[in-house]
Amino acid sequence: MSRSAPTKPRLSREAVLDEAMAVLDERGLDGLTMRNLGDRLQVVPMALYRHVRNKDDLLDGVLDRAVSLVPLPAPDLDWRDGLAALARSVRATMLEHPAVVAPVVQRPSLGPSAIALGEYGFSVMRGAGFSDTDSERGLNVVLTYTLGFVALEVPRHHAGPGTDIADLDVAYDGLPIELYPHTAAVRPSAAGFVSEEQFDFGLECILDGIGQLPHGRRRRARATKRA
Amino acid sequence: MSRSAPTKPRLSREAVLDEAMAVLDERGLDGLTMRNLGDRLQVVPMALYRHVRNKDDLLDGVLDRAVSLVPLPAPDLDWRDGLAALARSVRATMLEHPAVVAPVVQRPSLGPSAIALGEYGFSVMRGAGFSDTDSERGLNVVLTYTLGFVALEVPRHHAGPGTDIADLDVAYDGLPIELYPHTAAVRPSAAGFVSEEQFDFGLECILDGIGQLPHGRRRRARATKRA
DNA sequence: ACCTGAACACCGTTCAAGT
DNA sequence: ACCTGAACACCGTTCAAGT
């Protein structure tokens, strides 16, 4: 009887994706290899190909899992609060799983979790009276900004050896002031470039812009319909 | 006499980076390997290491070249026109060299060309009377949005085999309408997600938001200073 | 100073077997 | 149906030589 065998759990797609997510968190995108993943599941690399078409398919699966971890805000929020909460929610989740950001941005795939996330955005915007076109565009701007911000932020947070974030500031320090007077005056900091304040600042800009689009339910007054 | 030898041009860092840029354009990021690059320069891969510290250094060099290709708008533009032109300029250049977008977003390095680009942005904003802090934040938002947009756009434009952009729309077509009523109503299109119109829409939102920050030289009238 | 050649420790994936 | 083992065609990079 195989008494000492600790119940080899019979591989499944679920198990493979679970472990892949763990590898991504622990060792980053480069650490996720079929061989490495096989080792951790105590299986030869080729065994994974029974549950996953290839590495791209593996990535798509684990990325959809990551997106599914984004908590959706309350459905009854105002459009502005709802979009802001959604954006902050996306950013927070991505910062918890930094290794997924690059592939999420790069791969064109669109899993069910991403669609559910979009549904929330469409819902609060259409509920506030934005047109379908403006709802699509508005949500796209917020999500584009959010993903773009995080994509730039992540590699600057835990910058690897040799690319410490301080090195970025050094690049500014040695500037020939006569060539770049404005940059020298502003003294931009690499840290500020990726701060929460910076994120909120941009988010508010965008929400302000969206707020200027025609929207709102027709209430009692049709005031200012025309001059 | 080496009559038939076509003037072997004696490798240099310049020559290596030139060829690397060409490889990037022709065969993409995955196509840029030390071995491949060596072949095209008729040299053994290890010869490159005399002119480049390692592959990361090669990438940093070629990325700074790409950024140097971004044409800066006229210096006397209004802050709004200047930032808009800068953003469109960045996007246009990136779309001409799509393979550089991913590494530009991912790597925290900041070459001299990037600093010159920032200097332009700081200049038009400070010239328009924005505070140093707002100038930094405003420029950061514009550039973050622009890079993020392009980073999402590029892999969706020339999507590889199997990830044709049409497949994205297919993902929408099969939606259970009762689960995603708003998405079904809006019928978002993958093409619209990455169009020039969508880019300009977001850009205008952001510029509107920035425009609400205190700025402007004190002109004659201090009109509407308070109610 | 600049380039070469062989080697090392990795990749993803195919293909033919095993049970 | 599920897993294995060997092999193929790649990577970046080190190290000892060549000229």
Side-chain angles (χ1 to χ4, degrees):
Chain A
M1 307 108 188
S2 60
R3 188 149 33 107
S4 62
T7 63
K8 328 179 179 181
R10 274 300 246 96
L11 231 44
S12 69
R13 184 170 227 265
E14 289 285 301
V16 170
L17 294 184
D18 276 349
E19 196 67 30
M21 186 80 207
V23 176
L24 228 36
D25 286 341
E26 289 171 30
R27 331 220 328 196
L29 188 56
D30 290 343
L32 179 59
T33 70
M34 302 304 275
R35 297 170 129 95
N36 188 331
L37 184 56
D39 279 357
R40 294 185 43 144
L41 291 166
Q42 307 196 46
V43 108
V44 90
M46 281 311 299
L48 304 171
Y49 285 76
R50 192 67 40 176
H51 307 94
V52 135
R53 191 150 27 223
N54 49 31
K55 198 179 177 183
D56 274 8
D57 184 41
L58 172 74
L59 264 179
D60 281 341
V62 71
L63 294 187
D64 187 69
R65 294 211 155 195
V67 176
S68 79
L69 297 178
V70 176
L72 297 186
D76 59 341
L77 285 179
D78 174 49
W79 71 267
R80 200 183 214 277
D81 292 339
L83 289 190
L86 183 64
R88 297 203 179 93
S89 195
V90 168
R91 173 165 175 265
T93 303
M94 295 294 113
L95 290 183
E96 284 172 26
H97 305 278
V100 309
V101 174
V104 159
V105 171
Q106 244 100 23
R107 327 201 93 243
S109 79
L110 196 59
S113 305
I115 290 181
L117 194 148
E119 172 74 10
Y120 177 84
F122 290 138
S123 140
V124 292
M125 290 204 70
R126 299 213 322 143
F130 287 97
S131 76
D132 287 358
T133 306
D134 286 347
S135 295
E136 178 177 7
R137 288 184 172 171
L139 179 61
N140 278 351
V141 179
V142 170
L143 293 181
T144 299
Y145 169 70
T146 303
L147 286 177
F149 188 91
V150 179
L152 285 160
E153 182 179 23
V154 158
R156 279 154 190 81
H157 264 154
H158 21 56
T163 57
D164 196 359
I165 207 169
D167 294 353
L168 278 180
D169 290 324
V170 168
Y172 285 123
D173 284 343
L175 281 190
I177 192 174
E178 65 280 7
L179 266 178
Y180 308 106
H182 295 286
T183 307
V186 171
R187 289 211 145 266
S189 79
F193 190 42
V194 293
S195 68
E196 179 125 23
E197 280 169 348
Q198 175 66 42
F199 179 70
D200 284 341
F201 176 87
L203 185 56
E204 299 295 338
C205 279
I206 288 169
L207 294 175
D208 285 348
I210 294 175
Q212 288 176 235
L213 296 171
H215 67 286
R217 317 147 184 285
R218 312 283 159 269
R219 292 245 171 69
R220 55 204 148 233
R222 25 185 159 174
T224 66
K225 181 60 186 295
R226 55 177 62 202
Chain B
M1 309 107 185
S2 60
R3 188 148 35 107
S4 61
T7 63
K8 327 177 178 178
R10 273 302 245 92
L11 230 46
S12 69
R13 184 169 226 266
E14 290 284 301
V16 170
L17 294 184
D18 276 349
E19 195 68 30
M21 186 81 207
V23 175
L24 228 37
D25 287 342
E26 290 171 29
R27 329 219 331 197
L29 188 57
D30 290 343
L32 180 60
T33 72
M34 303 303 275
R35 298 171 128 94
N36 188 333
L37 185 55
D39 279 355
R40 295 186 40 145
L41 291 166
Q42 308 195 47
V43 109
V44 88
M46 281 312 299
L48 304 171
Y49 284 77
R50 193 66 40 175
H51 307 93
V52 136
R53 192 150 27 226
N54 49 31
K55 197 180 178 182
D56 274 8
D57 184 41
L58 173 75
L59 263 179
D60 281 340
V62 70
L63 295 186
D64 187 70
R65 294 211 154 197
V67 176
S68 78
L69 296 179
V70 176
L72 298 186
D76 59 341
L77 284 179
D78 174 50
W79 72 268
R80 201 183 214 275
D81 293 339
L83 289 190
L86 183 65
R88 297 202 179 93
S89 195
V90 168
R91 174 166 175 264
T93 303
M94 294 295 114
L95 290 184
E96 285 172 25
H97 305 278
V100 308
V101 173
V104 158
V105 171
Q106 245 100 24
R107 327 200 96 241
S109 79
L110 196 59
S113 304
I115 289 180
L117 194 149
E119 172 73 9
Y120 177 84
F122 290 138
S123 141
V124 293
M125 290 205 70
R126 299 211 324 141
F130 287 97
S131 76
D132 286 358
T133 305
D134 286 347
S135 295
E136 178 177 8
R137 288 184 171 171
L139 179 60
N140 278 352
V141 179
V142 170
L143 292 181
T144 300
Y145 169 70
T146 302
L147 286 177
F149 189 91
V150 179
L152 286 161
E153 182 179 23
V154 157
R156 280 155 189 82
H157 264 156
H158 22 57
T163 58
D164 197 357
I165 208 170
D167 293 353
L168 278 180
D169 290 324
V170 168
Y172 285 123
D173 284 343
L175 281 190
I177 192 173
E178 65 281 6
L179 266 179
Y180 308 106
H182 296 286
T183 307
V186 171
R187 291 210 142 269
S189 79
F193 190 41
V194 293
S195 68
E196 178 124 24
E197 279 168 349
Q198 175 65 43
F199 179 70
D200 284 340
F201 176 89
L203 185 56
E204 300 294 339
C205 279
I206 288 170
L207 294 175
D208 285 348
I210 293 175
Q212 288 175 235
L213 297 171
H215 68 287
R217 316 147 184 285
R218 313 284 161 265
R219 290 244 173 68
R220 54 202 150 234
R222 24 188 160 173
T224 67
K225 180 62 186 297
R226 55 179 60 201

